[in-house]
Amino acid sequence: MLLGRASQEVPQGPFRETRNPKHRVEFVQKIVNSFWERWTRDVLSLLVPRRKWDANRRNVCVNDIVMLVDSSAVRGKWTVGIPG
């Protein structure tokens, strides 16, 4: 994993045979970047707990005070209401 490869096999993808070390380094870096992008997208999100959706909270009831969502509202000037 630290070397940017999981096995001895050459990865699939568009690459060219060359003796230029710069091209080989770019190719390996592309593979490493691809690995970390996929890992952060697919695995990391499963490892970090999301407490926001984990807590049990009651639903809005009649006579509760609520803030209404309005994308055109000025910051600090939110509309409040009471469902009922």
Side-chain angles (χ1 to χ4, degrees), residues 15-49:
F15 59 94
R16 58 182 177 220
E17 288 289 329
T18 181
R19 294 200 184 273
N20 187 345
K22 180 182 174 189
H23 294 152
R24 178 68 180 161
V25 169
E26 289 173 352
F27 179 65
V28 170
Q29 191 61 47
K30 192 178 194 182
I31 294 169
V32 171
N33 290 341
S34 174
F35 167 80
W36 284 113
E37 285 174 13
R38 290 185 67 193
W39 190 86
T40 53
R41 183 187 68 217
D42 299 337
V43 178
L44 184 63
S45 62
L46 299 175
L47 298 176
V48 178

